[in-house]
Amino acid sequence: MSEKPQLRTYQIADLAFYIANPKCANLSDPGTGKTPSVCVYAYWLWTEKKIRSAWVMPKSLLKKNRDELLRFTHFTPDDIVIIDGPREKRAKLMASDAKVFLMGFDRWSADWTTMIEMHPDLKALLVDEIHLGYGSMSAQRTKQMVQSARHMERFLAMTGTLINGRLDSAYPTIHVIEPRYYGSDKAFINYHAIKDDYGTIIGWQNHHKLAAILGRHAIRHSFEEVYGKEAKVIIREEVEMSEQQRKAYDQFEANAILELQDEFLSSGGVGGVHALRCRQIMQHPETFGIAH
């Protein structure tokens, strides 16, 4: 066998964490080397446990992660299959004797029942950039992913952005790892969301519980931890607000409420929320559909 690149010390520790925790997450910053340890994990699952893996990800990563599997493990090209293309082609690929099946989010959500019927030993679900594919429980494909995970012995979520704008974007991952923490997405919202009088979510609370859960079931490496401190140079530049942005800012600052295209933005009478929203309108108007 040809020599393969060696995992770094922290990546070996990550691999040990996956092995010891059948359902877990790696929440390390982008660019910190999550992929190599996951490749070796998939190889360990097959060689030691005879478990096949489904590795789900944005389609832009399919070829890159296939190459990484070949680079870091002793899998052969026949052991790794990308599920994509017309129905007839997909059916043939799914029926192959591959040990790792790579595919996009929609493909897994649509075909997982067929795949586990073909391969009863397909018992590991690995999800790369999970926040991009399964960040909302209202989405049908997320519901299918959660249902599929009930048939899995192993689950590993990978992302540096688990909380993607809203605290509840973390819920699908947490629910798969341990559903007893909240029971349902509604229970999560009731515990963590701050709502105004109209039922609109205007903020989040009880972050300590979420931090405790993720601290127990996930690992994380910062970019600085892996590569050292950066010599950052921050240059501030002042810019004028656009006319529409200034109008929205002044209206919200004065009235603590702003009518957007599909909803109302309100501070709910909370001073800290009011200040935060003013800052968001000023610095990130695109978040609310306000032209900059």
Side-chain angles (χ1 to χ4, degrees):
M1 290 185 177
S2 60
E3 289 190 13
K4 298 292 182 178
Q6 298 296 307
L7 296 182
R8 301 171 186 173
T9 301
Y10 73 91
Q11 292 171 328
I12 294 173
D14 292 349
L15 176 60
F17 184 84
Y18 309 151
I19 293 172
N21 296 273
K23 295 190 176 183
C24 60
N26 187 329
L27 308 181
S28 299
D29 286 348
T32 51
K34 294 188 285 293
T35 303
S37 62
V38 176
C39 292
V40 178
Y41 180 49
Y43 189 71
W44 177 85
L45 285 170
W46 176 250
T47 56
E48 298 297 325
K49 297 292 185 181
K50 296 304 176 187
I51 290 176
R52 300 179 200 263
S53 300
W55 194 355
V56 184
M57 65 198 72
K59 293 180 71 174
S60 60
L61 297 179
L62 289 170
K63 291 183 179 178
K64 175 259 187 188
N65 283 348
R66 178 184 181 276
D67 291 344
E68 293 288 271
L69 278 164
L70 292 172
R71 181 177 174 224
F72 281 95
T73 74
H74 294 288
F75 279 134
T76 68
D78 289 339
D79 290 329
I80 307 163
V81 167
I82 295 175
I83 306 296
D84 200 12
R87 180 180 299 178
E88 294 77 11
K89 178 183 177 182
R90 296 200 312 271
K92 184 177 180 181
L93 292 169
M94 285 188 284
S96 72
D97 191 37
K99 312 308 184 291
V100 184
F101 297 92
L102 279 64
M103 69 208 79
F105 302 117
D106 289 326
R107 182 55 45 225
W108 174 251
S109 293
D111 291 345
W112 70 268
T113 53
T114 301
M115 294 189 67
I116 64 173
E117 286 175 3
M118 290 181 172
H119 303 285
D121 53 358
L122 180 58
K123 292 290 186 179
L125 176 59
L126 319 173
V127 187
D128 203 346
E129 302 292 355
I130 192 169
H131 69 285
L132 295 178
Y134 304 124
S136 172
M137 283 300 292
S138 64
Q140 186 59 34
R141 72 179 183 183
T142 301
K143 293 176 182 177
Q144 286 297 316
M145 183 279 292
V146 170
Q147 187 173 349
S148 73
R150 294 172 184 158
H151 298 264
M152 300 291 121
E153 294 179 9
R154 297 267 171 170
F155 171 80
L156 172 59
M158 306 159 60
T159 175
T161 321
L162 184 63
I163 297 174
N164 189 22
R166 296 168 55 96
L167 220 58
D168 58 343
S169 63
Y171 176 76
T173 297
I174 292 172
H175 185 70
V176 170
I177 292 173
E178 179 48 84
R180 290 176 294 183
Y181 281 123
Y182 295 99
S184 69
D185 54 329
K186 290 182 179 178
F188 183 97
I189 291 294
N190 289 336
Y191 187 79
H192 286 289
I194 301 172
K195 299 182 180 180
D196 63 14
D197 295 338
Y198 300 96
T200 301
I201 297 175
I202 58 174
W204 300 93
Q205 61 185 347
N206 298 322
H207 295 73
H208 62 281
K209 179 176 180 178
L210 199 58
I213 292 171
L214 296 177
R216 187 177 300 122
H217 297 285
I219 50 176
R220 182 182 182 277
H221 303 292
S222 67
F223 195 88
E224 182 176 318
E225 174 192 344
V226 173
Y227 298 108
K229 206 164 188 176
E230 292 181 277
K232 296 180 181 177
V233 178
I234 299 175
I235 301 175
R236 298 180 181 272
E237 291 188 14
E238 293 186 6
V239 296
E240 292 289 336
M241 284 194 277
S242 68
E243 183 178 345
Q244 183 180 354
Q245 183 186 7
R246 167 58 72 178
K247 182 179 178 181
Y249 180 90
D250 290 343
Q251 181 181 337
F252 187 83
E253 185 181 35
N255 304 318
I257 190 168
L258 176 66
E259 184 177 1
L260 301 174
Q261 185 173 355
D262 300 316
E263 61 181 341
F264 284 92
L265 184 68
S266 170
S267 65
V270 181
V273 175
H274 182 78
L276 176 63
R277 292 304 188 202
C278 284
R279 194 172 202 178
Q280 287 179 315
I281 293 170
M282 180 172 61
Q283 297 182 340
H284 303 282
E286 66 278 2
T287 302
F288 305 109
I290 302 170
H292 193 288

